[in-house]
Amino acid sequence: MFRPIHLTFGALFICLMAIGANITAWFPFLAVPIGGTSVPLSLQTFFAILAGFILGRRLGTISMIVYTLIGIVGVPVFAGLKSGPMTILLPTGGFILSFIIIAYVVGRLNEKNHENKTRTYIYIALIGLFINYAFGVTYMYFSMKLVLEVDITYLLAWTSMIPFIIKDFSLTIVAALFMKKVDQVLPQTALVRQ
């Protein structure tokens, strides 16, 4: 059963996801122009990985589900201050859904992590990054082809994501190093390892 501290940290990560999604609202220069449109950089992958690391698989997954549901019901927490059920059908919907999987998988792997070595944290975080892009880009490709009826190749979909992959790769390493420090300061906590 979750205690109030668990719910507080779960709510904190929901807020961090909303802030991370909309960082370009405060810093517009962080948007990348792609194909005549501007795509905002975000910190969502970073926070989804940290949610799995710090909250564990159960609470991390629940916090990402709640974040997604809050956006679906109309609170503008998705990138670009977007919300609503149609957002999930659009090209970025796969990335939003992948955050749930990331939190679960990263949390699960970290709960089994007894080595407390930097390379293990990096390995776990990179698995989260792989899930994010494998699911997100594939979903984006099909959404663009089937929903938006854009003539795009799968390779072009991946190529368009290169600036984001570079940014998220760097932030994934930062998340892993941050978690290593957290476990050194608060051994075996990861807040709610269950």
Side-chain angles (χ1 to χ4, degrees):
M1 196 67 188
F2 295 122
R3 300 192 315 255
I5 187 72
H6 300 147
L7 300 177
T8 302
F9 273 89
L12 173 67
F13 271 92
I14 293 167
C15 293
L16 288 172
M17 288 295 287
I19 292 168
N22 293 294
I23 197 82
T24 54
W26 301 286
F27 305 105
F29 62 88
L30 293 176
V32 176
I34 293 178
T37 186
S38 179
V39 180
L41 293 178
S42 79
L43 300 174
Q44 291 174 291
T45 304
F46 174 76
F47 288 128
I49 289 169
L50 279 181
F53 271 137
I54 294 173
L55 302 179
R57 76 180 186 277
R58 288 177 52 210
L59 185 56
T61 302
I62 290 169
S63 67
M64 294 303 107
I65 290 171
V66 171
Y67 164 73
T68 304
L69 291 175
I70 287 171
I72 288 172
V73 299
V75 180
V77 294
F78 298 144
L81 296 171
K82 293 185 177 135
S83 64
M86 283 304 295
T87 308
I88 299 299
L89 296 177
L90 296 176
T92 57
F95 290 98
I96 295 168
L97 295 174
S98 78
F99 301 138
I100 299 167
I101 303 166
I102 291 168
Y104 178 83
V105 171
V106 169
R108 179 80 174 148
L109 292 174
N110 194 46
E111 288 166 8
K112 293 178 178 253
N113 174 19
H114 301 295
E115 293 183 4
N116 199 19
K117 293 184 179 174
T118 302
R119 70 172 181 260
T120 306
Y121 290 110
I122 291 172
Y123 171 74
I124 292 170
L126 288 175
I127 289 173
L129 178 66
F130 173 78
I131 290 167
N132 184 228
Y133 279 91
F135 191 87
V137 174
T138 302
Y139 190 101
M140 179 180 78
Y141 168 74
F142 284 110
S143 174
M144 291 179 86
K145 290 281 277 187
L146 303 175
V147 177
L148 300 180
E149 298 179 354
V150 173
D151 189 24
I152 186 172
T153 64
Y154 192 59
L155 178 61
L156 183 57
W158 273 101
T159 304
S160 69
M161 299 307 296
I162 289 173
F164 304 100
I165 293 170
I166 293 168
K167 179 263 305 178
D168 283 329
F169 177 82
S170 303
L171 289 173
T172 296
I173 301 302
V174 171
L177 297 176
F178 178 78
M179 191 57 204
K180 167 75 172 161
K181 288 292 184 191
V182 167
D183 265 359
Q184 285 176 337
V185 175
L186 305 167
Q188 294 302 311
T189 59
L191 184 64
V192 287
R193 274 193 190 155
Q194 299 149 353

